[in-house]
Amino acid sequence: IAARREQEAIELRNANLDSELKFLRAQINPHFLFNCLHTIYAMSMLQKEKTSEMIVKLSAILRYMLYEVTGGKVPLHKEIQYIQDYISFIKLKDESIENIVVDMKANAQVSIEPMLFIPLVENSVKYSQAESLPEAWINLTLSTEGNMLYFVLSNSIADEIPEESKSNGIGLENVKRRLGLLYPGLHQLKVSEKDRVFSVDLTIQLS
């Protein structure tokens, strides 16, 4: 009887963890979609020629979110492509944006829990105001060595952040919680802010 109760307790804990992870992931998708649609709406009001191209790019992003991220891990190269699609989407808003520098390389054999990085990239765009400030900048590197993954992101911090951007934040706390559930004891996350530069340094030991 004791063994059965212990097994039931383990199953209950696992079910609760699974429910929390699904909730945390569900927080990301609507927030991400809302931001993308807001950008397309703003472009359409300005009658920008790139609006239709942005819709195509958003379709690729949604295809990944809805059909390829169905639970469990995904190949790292697909997660990298997802980030690249998002950054391309941002750059379509203004062809003069050259201040987002990205260097991402993936071991083709490596898999990872999906959508851990995109909230961090979104926050970087938001708090640097890279879409609108010529002096803003973002640097992102992602690499693997064996079963270790290294994600380093830094950005300038704008003097003023629009109120609508502040109110939509999910980002860092969501990522911290998911990392704690998905990679307990297998990750190290360092976050710092100094001289108006925000930095995230994340290392994950992948299985």
Side-chain angles (χ1 to χ4, degrees):
I1 295 176
R4 188 178 74 246
R5 287 180 176 174
E6 183 177 352
Q7 181 61 32
E8 289 173 348
I10 291 172
E11 291 176 358
L12 180 59
R13 277 199 303 273
N14 289 338
N16 288 338
L17 288 176
D18 185 58
S19 296
E20 183 172 359
L21 281 168
K22 287 179 179 177
F23 172 73
L24 289 169
R25 281 177 59 180
Q27 279 185 301
I28 297 170
N29 290 8
H31 175 251
F32 179 88
L33 180 59
F34 175 82
N35 282 350
C36 290
L37 289 175
H38 184 270
T39 299
I40 291 175
Y41 173 75
M43 293 286 285
S44 67
M45 293 297 288
L46 296 171
Q47 297 183 332
K48 292 282 188 177
E49 295 179 358
K50 295 288 185 179
T51 304
S52 59
E53 192 174 343
M54 294 183 83
I55 293 172
V56 171
K57 186 64 70 175
L58 179 58
S59 296
I61 291 170
L62 290 177
R63 189 177 303 112
Y64 175 76
M65 292 167 60
L66 295 174
Y67 299 115
E68 297 191 46
V69 180
T70 56
K73 296 179 181 179
V74 297
L76 179 58
H77 69 85
K78 290 190 175 183
E79 193 71 5
I80 287 177
Q81 184 61 55
Y82 176 51
I83 296 171
Q84 289 173 333
D85 284 343
Y86 171 70
I87 292 171
S88 296
F89 179 89
I90 294 298
K91 288 186 173 182
L92 282 172
K93 188 175 180 181
D94 187 343
E95 292 181 347
S96 67
I97 295 177
E98 298 180 351
N99 48 3
I100 303 178
V101 179
V102 176
D103 181 14
M104 295 188 288
K105 301 180 180 69
N107 180 335
Q109 306 303 316
V110 170
S111 295
I112 191 167
E113 296 290 342
M115 296 178 12
L116 282 169
F117 308 123
I118 197 68
L120 301 174
V121 178
E122 278 193 275
N123 272 8
S124 191
V125 171
K126 177 174 65 177
Y127 286 105
S128 67
Q129 290 293 290
E131 297 172 273
S132 56
L133 297 179
E135 69 274 16
W137 57 268
I138 297 171
N139 290 332
L140 167 60
T141 63
L142 189 156
S143 61
T144 56
E145 183 176 335
N147 68 337
M148 299 303 295
L149 180 145
Y150 305 95
F151 176 92
V152 181
L153 177 64
S154 59
N155 60 269
S156 58
I157 301 175
D159 291 333
E160 295 185 18
I161 311 297
E163 286 300 320
E164 61 269 21
S165 294
K166 292 179 183 178
S167 62
N168 289 330
I170 295 173
L172 190 57
E173 292 307 315
N174 182 299
V175 172
K176 285 180 179 178
R177 182 58 180 160
R178 291 184 67 214
L179 284 169
L181 293 171
L182 295 166
Y183 295 100
L186 298 174
H187 76 278
Q188 186 174 27
L189 177 64
K190 298 178 182 178
V191 178
S192 64
E193 181 179 332
K194 184 178 181 181
D195 298 328
R196 303 206 63 76
V197 173
F198 186 79
S199 300
V200 175
D201 191 333
L202 172 61
T203 303
I204 304 176
Q205 180 179 332
L206 305 171
S207 57

